[in-house]
Amino acid sequence: MRKLLIVYGTTEGQTQKIAQFLAQEAHLRDYDCEAYNAEMLPADISPSQFSKIVVAASVHMERHQAAIARFVERYLPDLDKAQALFLSVSLSAAGNPEEKYEAWEYTRQFLTDAGWRPTQVQIVAGALRFSESDFFKRWAMRRLAKEKRADHEHDFEYTDWAELRRVLKDFLDLPASDKGSPSART
Ligand SMILES: Cc1cc2nc3c(=O)[nH]c(=O)nc-3n(C[C@H](O)[C@H](O)[C@H](O)COP(=O)(O)O)c2cc1C
């Protein structure tokens, strides 16, 4: 059976939900899939045993989770050998073209800092979960919602699941020979 590894970083849970969705979809496509939160990786994980790897992280204050940066740094040679898809989950990805540009900028910055060139990269619209957040977070989220003109205080999920299914299908359908260019770590 073909093997897919998913490693994700999540702060409020949306990227975990996305990882679970991708794992189910991959399973339907006959992939043997393992999904892990980057904060709780098993000590004996061996990414080199997977032919395809999805790394997903969400954006907070313009940055992706440090645990994901650590995973990429540690396993860069394995990520380069496999086919890898990087998903950057943010609110900006749900916005207008200017905001989407911002989402690509966070992504570009993360990948430049990591010295990683994944085979495929995609920005993904996340969610705002006011109800599950504490006072300070709600305050930060209200500011963010205002900035992004997401003018409500109710939980809202922007993730386009059909689009995500298509992105995963394209990635899983990539011929084994298509590895993209290797990472350039300086
Ligand atoms: C405190 C906070 C800061 C955020 N900062 C940004 C940001 O700088 N840019 C952005 O596009 N989205 C930002 N977001 C939106 C998150 O990326 C979005 O809610 C995403 O779905 C979170 O995914 P997670 O639940 O997996 O952590 C922020 C959200 C919170 C709660």
Side-chain angles (χ1 to χ4, degrees), residues 3-116:
K3 282 169 72 88
L4 172 73
L5 173 66
I6 302 176
V7 176
Y8 62 90
T10 193
T11 307
E12 280 87 40
Q14 188 65 12
T15 311
Q16 179 171 37
K17 190 172 171 186
I18 287 169
Q20 285 165 349
F21 173 81
L22 295 176
Q24 278 169 14
E25 288 291 315
H27 186 68
L28 292 175
R29 293 178 183 278
D30 284 336
Y31 270 82
D32 175 13
C33 180
E34 293 177 31
Y36 299 104
N37 185 325
E39 300 271 10
M40 290 175 255
L41 277 182
D44 61 350
I45 188 151
S46 181
S48 62
Q49 290 175 1
F50 296 81
S51 54
K52 307 227 184 208
I53 303 175
V54 177
V55 177
S58 62
V59 176
H60 287 78
M61 305 301 170
E62 306 189 1
R63 298 186 69 83
H64 297 83
Q65 280 86 10
I68 289 292
R70 286 196 298 274
F71 172 78
V72 172
E73 179 172 20
R74 177 156 181 206
Y75 294 107
L76 191 61
D78 295 333
L79 288 166
D80 275 347
K81 270 184 221 120
Q83 287 176 327
L85 165 66
F86 179 62
L87 299 177
S88 171
V89 179
S90 68
L91 197 59
S92 303
N96 61 30
E98 216 172 282
E99 288 157 350
K100 282 201 169 87
Y101 179 82
E102 232 175 76
W104 280 110
E105 273 304 291
Y106 307 145
T107 308
R108 188 192 59 74
Q109 191 61 55
F110 174 81
L111 294 175
T112 303
D113 291 349
W116 179 34

Side-chain angles (χ1 to χ4, degrees), residues 91 94 126-131 137-158:
L91 197 59
L128 277 182
R129 300 205 185 287
F130 291 96
S131 60
K137 230 180 206 175
R138 276 204 299 275
W139 175 79
M141 286 163 86
R142 260 186 220 119
R143 276 193 54 180
L144 193 75
K146 210 170 156 197
E147 252 176 51
K148 311 282 180 208
R149 278 170 271 113
D151 55 348
H152 41 67
E153 298 200 0
H154 305 107
D155 289 6
F156 199 84
E157 188 173 80
Y158 297 89

